[in-house]
Amino acid sequence: KAGVTQTPRYLIKTRGQQVTLSCSPISGHRSVSWYQQTPGQGLQFLFEYFSETQRNKGNFPGRFSGRQFSNSRSEMNVSTLELGDSALYLCASSARQGYEQYFGPGTRLTVT
Amino acid sequence: AQRVTQPEKLLSVFKGAPVELKCNYSYSGSPELFWYVQYSRQRLQLLLRHISRESIKGFTADLNKGETSFHLKKPFAQEEDSAMYYCALRNNFGNEKLTFGTGTRLTIIP
Protein backbone atom coordinates (compact mmCIF):
# COMPACT_ATOMS: atom_id res chain seq x y z
CA LYS A 1 0.00 0.00 0.00
CA ALA A 2 1.25 3.46 -0.84
CA GLY A 3 1.81 5.67 2.17
CA VAL A 4 0.40 9.10 2.90
CA THR A 5 1.52 11.55 0.25
CA GLN A 6 1.73 15.31 0.54
CA THR A 7 2.20 17.86 -2.20
CA PRO A 8 4.10 19.98 -2.73
CA ARG A 9 7.06 18.91 -0.62
CA TYR A 10 8.60 22.37 -0.53
CA LEU A 11 7.06 25.79 -0.96
CA ILE A 12 8.30 29.36 -0.71
CA LYS A 13 5.75 32.14 -0.38
CA THR A 14 5.77 35.83 0.41
CA ARG A 15 4.04 37.48 3.36
CA GLY A 16 0.43 38.26 2.59
CA GLN A 17 0.02 35.51 0.02
CA GLN A 18 -2.10 32.44 0.50
CA VAL A 19 -1.16 28.79 0.13
CA THR A 20 -2.91 25.45 -0.34
CA LEU A 21 -1.35 22.18 0.74
CA SER A 22 -2.63 18.77 -0.28
CA CYS A 23 -2.70 15.42 1.46
CA SER A 24 -3.65 12.05 -0.03
CA PRO A 25 -4.32 9.46 2.69
CA ILE A 26 -3.60 5.77 2.48
CA SER A 27 -6.21 4.05 0.35
CA GLY A 28 -9.22 3.17 2.46
CA HIS A 29 -8.38 5.62 5.23
CA ARG A 30 -11.17 8.07 5.98
CA SER A 31 -9.65 10.14 8.78
CA VAL A 32 -7.11 12.86 8.04
CA SER A 33 -5.39 15.10 10.59
CA TRP A 34 -3.04 18.03 10.08
CA TYR A 35 -0.18 19.18 12.29
CA GLN A 36 2.22 22.11 12.24
CA GLN A 37 5.80 21.45 13.30
CA THR A 38 8.15 24.30 14.23
CA PRO A 39 11.39 24.37 16.23
CA GLY A 40 9.83 26.66 18.81
CA GLN A 41 6.38 25.13 19.30
CA GLY A 42 6.99 21.54 18.26
CA LEU A 43 4.13 19.51 16.82
CA GLN A 44 0.76 21.21 17.15
CA PHE A 45 -2.61 19.90 16.05
CA LEU A 46 -4.40 21.91 13.38
CA PHE A 47 -7.54 19.98 12.44
CA GLU A 48 -9.07 16.58 11.90
CA TYR A 49 -11.46 15.47 9.18
CA PHE A 50 -13.55 12.34 8.86
CA SER A 51 -15.91 11.66 5.99
CA GLU A 52 -15.67 15.27 4.78
CA THR A 53 -16.58 16.69 8.20
CA GLN A 54 -14.26 18.64 10.46
CA ARG A 55 -14.39 16.85 13.80
CA ASN A 56 -11.83 18.79 15.76
CA LYS A 57 -9.85 21.99 15.44
CA GLY A 58 -6.73 23.21 17.21
CA ASN A 59 -5.95 26.67 18.53
CA PHE A 60 -4.99 28.37 15.31
CA PRO A 61 -6.37 31.60 13.85
CA GLY A 62 -9.09 31.58 11.26
CA ARG A 63 -6.48 32.10 8.51
CA PHE A 64 -5.94 28.37 8.74
CA SER A 65 -8.69 26.32 7.14
CA GLY A 66 -9.12 22.93 5.63
CA ARG A 67 -11.46 20.58 3.89
CA GLN A 68 -11.81 16.97 2.92
CA PHE A 69 -13.16 15.60 -0.31
CA SER A 70 -15.34 12.57 -0.94
CA ASN A 71 -12.27 10.51 -1.89
CA SER A 72 -10.78 11.39 1.56
CA ARG A 73 -8.09 13.61 0.09
CA SER A 74 -7.64 16.72 2.17
CA GLU A 75 -6.39 20.24 1.63
CA MET A 76 -5.41 22.93 4.05
CA ASN A 77 -5.28 26.59 3.22
CA VAL A 78 -3.46 29.41 4.92
CA SER A 79 -4.43 32.93 3.93
CA THR A 80 -2.54 36.17 4.50
CA LEU A 81 0.68 34.37 5.27
CA GLU A 82 2.89 35.59 8.10
CA LEU A 83 6.58 34.89 8.71
CA GLY A 84 5.59 32.76 11.71
CA ASP A 85 3.69 30.38 9.45
CA SER A 86 7.00 28.99 8.20
CA ALA A 87 6.89 25.39 9.31
CA LEU A 88 6.71 21.76 8.33
CA TYR A 89 3.06 20.81 7.84
CA LEU A 90 2.33 17.15 8.45
CA CYS A 91 -0.69 15.17 7.46
CA ALA A 92 -1.70 11.87 9.08
CA SER A 93 -4.35 9.37 8.10
CA SER A 94 -6.03 6.49 9.89
CA ALA A 95 -8.54 3.87 8.85
CA ARG A 96 -10.97 4.87 11.54
CA GLN A 97 -11.11 6.45 14.96
CA GLY A 98 -8.79 4.84 17.44
CA TYR A 99 -6.61 3.17 14.84
CA GLU A 100 -2.94 3.92 14.19
CA GLN A 101 -2.20 7.22 12.48
CA TYR A 102 0.24 7.14 9.56
CA PHE A 103 2.14 10.31 8.82
CA GLY A 104 3.15 11.79 5.51
CA PRO A 105 6.58 13.28 4.75
CA GLY A 106 5.33 16.82 5.24
CA THR A 107 5.31 20.03 3.25
CA ARG A 108 8.04 22.49 4.16
CA LEU A 109 6.58 26.01 3.88
CA THR A 110 8.90 29.00 3.99
CA VAL A 111 7.39 32.48 4.19
CA THR A 112 9.68 35.36 3.26
CA ALA B 1 -6.10 21.05 29.26
CA GLN B 2 -3.84 18.22 28.24
CA ARG B 3 -0.08 18.51 28.22
CA VAL B 4 2.89 16.23 27.54
CA THR B 5 6.32 16.97 28.96
CA GLN B 6 9.58 15.46 27.82
CA PRO B 7 12.19 16.96 30.11
CA GLU B 8 15.24 15.93 28.09
CA LYS B 9 15.85 17.61 24.73
CA LEU B 10 19.02 15.63 24.16
CA LEU B 11 20.13 12.27 25.50
CA SER B 12 23.36 10.45 24.72
CA VAL B 13 23.85 6.84 25.70
CA PHE B 14 26.63 4.36 24.99
CA LYS B 15 25.85 1.35 22.84
CA GLY B 16 24.82 -1.55 25.04
CA ALA B 17 23.77 0.68 27.93
CA PRO B 18 20.17 0.98 29.11
CA VAL B 19 18.00 3.76 27.72
CA GLU B 20 15.17 5.62 29.41
CA LEU B 21 13.34 8.50 27.77
CA LYS B 22 11.06 10.30 30.16
CA CYS B 23 7.51 11.40 29.47
CA ASN B 24 5.05 12.95 31.89
CA TYR B 25 1.54 14.04 31.09
CA SER B 26 -1.29 16.02 32.57
CA TYR B 27 -4.85 15.09 31.73
CA SER B 28 -7.85 14.73 33.95
CA GLY B 29 -9.41 11.74 32.21
CA SER B 30 -8.11 8.42 30.94
CA PRO B 31 -5.70 9.16 28.13
CA GLU B 32 -4.18 6.99 25.48
CA LEU B 33 -0.39 7.33 25.35
CA PHE B 34 1.96 6.79 22.43
CA TRP B 35 5.60 6.96 21.53
CA TYR B 36 6.47 8.09 18.01
CA VAL B 37 9.93 7.94 16.46
CA GLN B 38 11.50 9.83 13.59
CA TYR B 39 14.70 8.40 12.15
CA SER B 40 16.96 10.61 10.07
CA ARG B 41 15.33 11.50 6.74
CA GLN B 42 12.26 9.38 7.49
CA ARG B 43 8.72 10.24 8.38
CA LEU B 44 7.23 10.15 11.84
CA GLN B 45 6.09 6.65 12.75
CA LEU B 46 4.38 4.97 15.65
CA LEU B 47 6.69 3.02 17.95
CA LEU B 48 4.41 2.04 20.83
CA ARG B 49 0.92 2.59 22.19
CA HIS B 50 0.16 1.80 25.79
CA ILE B 51 -3.01 -0.17 25.16
CA SER B 52 -1.21 -2.76 23.03
CA ARG B 53 1.44 -3.44 25.68
CA GLU B 54 3.81 -4.66 22.95
CA SER B 55 7.58 -4.53 22.86
CA ILE B 56 8.78 -2.98 19.61
CA LYS B 57 12.48 -3.06 18.64
CA GLY B 58 13.21 -3.94 22.26
CA PHE B 59 11.46 -0.83 23.61
CA THR B 60 8.77 -0.98 26.27
CA ALA B 61 6.72 1.66 28.03
CA ASP B 62 4.41 1.33 30.99
CA LEU B 63 1.65 3.78 31.76
CA ASN B 64 1.89 4.84 35.42
CA LYS B 65 -1.32 6.67 36.21
CA GLY B 66 -0.22 7.49 39.76
CA GLU B 67 2.87 9.31 38.54
CA THR B 68 1.24 10.33 35.23
CA SER B 69 4.24 9.01 33.36
CA PHE B 70 4.88 6.90 30.28
CA HIS B 71 8.64 6.47 30.15
CA LEU B 72 10.23 4.61 27.23
CA LYS B 73 12.85 2.02 28.11
CA LYS B 74 15.24 -0.33 26.40
CA PRO B 75 17.73 -2.50 28.28
CA PHE B 76 20.53 -2.43 25.70
CA ALA B 77 20.86 0.49 23.29
CA GLN B 78 21.79 -0.11 19.66
CA GLU B 79 23.28 2.38 17.21
CA GLU B 80 20.16 2.23 15.03
CA ASP B 81 18.13 3.59 17.95
CA SER B 82 19.54 7.07 17.32
CA ALA B 83 16.52 9.17 16.41
CA MET B 84 14.04 11.78 17.59
CA TYR B 85 11.44 10.39 19.99
CA TYR B 86 8.09 12.02 20.71
CA CYS B 87 5.65 11.12 23.43
CA ALA B 88 2.01 11.84 22.57
CA LEU B 89 -1.38 11.75 24.25
CA ARG B 90 -4.83 11.28 22.84
CA ASN B 91 -7.91 11.91 24.94
CA ASN B 92 -10.88 9.59 25.06
CA PHE B 93 -13.35 12.01 23.53
CA GLY B 94 -13.60 10.14 20.28
CA ASN B 95 -11.27 12.19 18.15
CA GLU B 96 -7.87 11.71 16.63
CA LYS B 97 -6.11 14.78 18.06
CA LEU B 98 -2.64 13.99 19.35
CA THR B 99 -0.90 16.27 21.85
CA PHE B 100 2.85 15.87 21.45
CA GLY B 101 5.75 16.51 23.76
CA THR B 102 8.66 18.55 22.47
CA GLY B 103 10.70 15.46 21.72
CA THR B 104 14.01 13.95 22.84
CA ARG B 105 16.90 13.47 20.45
CA LEU B 106 18.56 10.20 21.37
CA THR B 107 22.14 9.62 20.24
CA ILE B 108 23.77 6.25 20.71
CA ILE B 109 27.52 6.50 21.10
CA PRO B 110 29.35 3.56 19.47
Side-chain angles (χ1 to χ4, degrees):
Chain A
K1 253 187 190 177
V4 177
T5 57
Q6 293 186 243
T7 56
R9 293 292 312 279
Y10 303 91
L11 205 49
I12 300 175
K13 290 286 188 178
T14 306
R15 268 184 306 177
Q17 288 186 314
Q18 76 164 17
V19 67
T20 299
L21 312 182
S22 180
C23 170
S24 292
I26 292 171
S27 178
H29 284 193
R30 295 168 64 191
S31 174
V32 173
S33 300
W34 288 88
Y35 294 84
Q36 181 195 65
Q37 186 175 25
T38 59
Q41 300 296 318
L43 281 150
Q44 291 188 290
F45 173 79
L46 279 157
F47 5 75
E48 174 204 344
Y49 288 89
F50 183 81
S51 294
E52 302 178 68
T53 301
Q54 185 180 90
R55 293 202 303 184
N56 203 354
K57 189 177 191 303
N59 295 325
F60 280 82
R63 300 185 297 107
F64 290 80
S65 62
R67 59 178 175 169
Q68 186 180 33
F69 302 94
S70 58
N71 62 358
S72 294
R73 189 178 70 85
S74 177
E75 288 181 347
M76 67 164 281
N77 184 279
V78 188
S79 62
T80 321
L81 283 165
E82 300 178 0
L83 294 179
D85 297 333
S86 294
L88 181 66
Y89 290 89
L90 294 173
C91 164
S93 77
S94 64
R96 60 182 71 178
Q97 178 193 322
Y99 279 47
E100 177 178 348
Q101 291 189 44
Y102 293 84
F103 281 81
T107 294
R108 171 77 61 188
L109 172 65
T110 302
V111 182
T112 62
Chain B
Q2 54 200 56
R3 177 174 288 187
V4 176
T5 303
Q6 293 180 251
E8 304 133 332
K9 278 189 138 177
L10 303 170
L11 184 64
S12 295
V13 173
F14 284 101
K15 178 182 171 181
V19 176
E20 182 177 42
L21 286 81
K22 291 185 168 51
C23 172
N24 289 90
Y25 67 90
S26 63
Y27 180 63
S28 55
S30 293
E32 191 174 2
L33 273 296
F34 304 83
W35 276 99
Y36 280 82
V37 62
Q38 189 166 30
Y39 300 102
S40 179
R41 299 183 179 278
Q42 293 188 28
R43 59 186 69 187
L44 198 61
Q45 58 186 282
L46 179 66
L47 180 64
L48 283 179
R49 56 193 304 182
H50 89 271
I51 60 172
S52 63
R53 301 189 65 81
E54 290 177 302
S55 172
I56 307 294
K57 299 186 179 184
F59 284 98
T60 59
D62 289 316
L63 179 60
N64 185 323
K65 291 188 179 180
E67 296 182 0
T68 59
S69 68
F70 189 56
H71 303 327
L72 184 67
K73 299 178 184 179
K74 184 169 182 177
F76 307 104
Q78 298 174 286
E79 288 185 61
E80 54 264 34
D81 296 330
S82 293
M84 193 74 179
Y85 291 80
Y86 294 94
C87 183
L89 176 155
R90 181 165 66 190
N91 65 36
N92 55 2
F93 289 163
N95 60 65
E96 297 289 274
K97 173 185 174 182
L98 289 168
T99 298
F100 285 91
T102 49
T104 298
R105 182 167 297 282
L106 175 65
T107 301
I108 306 303
I109 305 165

